[in-house]
């Protein structure tokens, strides 16, 4: 009839189910269509990038943050390794990294993150860097 909408190809009107080509009239429920799996290494890249976002400034010669993850169903446990300037608020920076990593993995990968372990691999001394440039007191 004029004015009526016609279901898009592969859809049953109003049901949210999909009709597979070659199987006339047989609807496939959303839960039976499959699932999307996000690779662990992709979640690790998201976590490492989020850790970098959380840190205001990295020491000039620092290695970028690195993350490893263990994914089980829709849960990711994350370990982030990073390097920080010293002296600085190490606890505050680690807390900011934990919050940002958890938030971004949940947003981008749709996974809950019950654990983010932050491992500080190296502290870069501001005084030592200053002494290397001839500025000692």
């Amino acid at each position: 009839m004029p004015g009526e909408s016609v279901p898009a190809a592969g859809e049953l009107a109003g049901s949210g189910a999909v009709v597979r080509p070659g199987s006339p009239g047989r609807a496939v429920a959303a839960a039976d269509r499959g699932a999307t799996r996000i690779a662990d290494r992709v979640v690790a890249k998201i976590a490492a990038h989020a850790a970098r976002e959380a840190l205001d400034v990295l020491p000039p010669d620092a290695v970028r943050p690195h993350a490893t993850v263990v994914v089980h169903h829709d849960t990711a446990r994350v370990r982030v390794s990073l390097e920080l300037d010293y002296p600085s608020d190490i606890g505050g920076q680690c807390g900011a990294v934990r919050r940002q990593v958890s938030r971004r993995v949940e947003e981008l990968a749709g996974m809950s993150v019950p654990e983010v372990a932050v491992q500080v691999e190296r502290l870069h001394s501001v005084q030592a860097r200053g002494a290397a440039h001839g500025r000692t007191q």
Side-chain angles (χ1 to χ4, degrees):
M1 290 194 107
E4 271 187 41
S5 66
V6 178
E11 253 183 52
L12 280 180
S15 71
V18 172
V19 176
R20 289 193 180 154
S23 56
R26 300 207 58 183
V28 179
D32 296 333
R33 286 186 224 148
T36 301
R37 184 184 182 297
I38 300 173
D40 292 10
R41 66 187 172 103
V42 173
V43 179
K45 285 184 180 186
I46 291 169
H49 187 76
R52 175 64 186 96
E53 290 173 349
L55 299 172
D56 292 332
V57 178
L58 283 178
D61 55 341
V63 174
R64 300 184 92 179
H66 174 76
T68 56
V69 300
V70 175
V71 176
H72 185 68
H73 299 294
D74 289 334
T75 302
R77 297 192 185 282
V78 181
R79 175 176 296 277
V80 178
S81 299
L82 47 84
E83 298 180 6
L84 299 173
D85 264 335
Y86 182 82
S88 65
D89 181 7
I90 295 169
Q93 288 179 328
C94 290
V97 167
R98 276 192 285 279
R99 287 187 298 277
Q100 181 72 357
V101 167
S102 179
R103 187 175 67 77
R104 296 296 280 165
V105 170
E106 287 175 10
E107 283 177 0
L108 298 175
M111 298 179 179
S112 65
V113 185
E115 176 184 334
V116 178
V118 178
Q119 182 172 341
V120 179
E121 292 286 330
R122 181 177 172 198
L123 295 173
H124 295 262
S125 172
V126 175
Q127 287 87 8
R129 196 167 42 243
H133 294 288
R135 296 181 297 172
T136 56
Q137 291 181 339

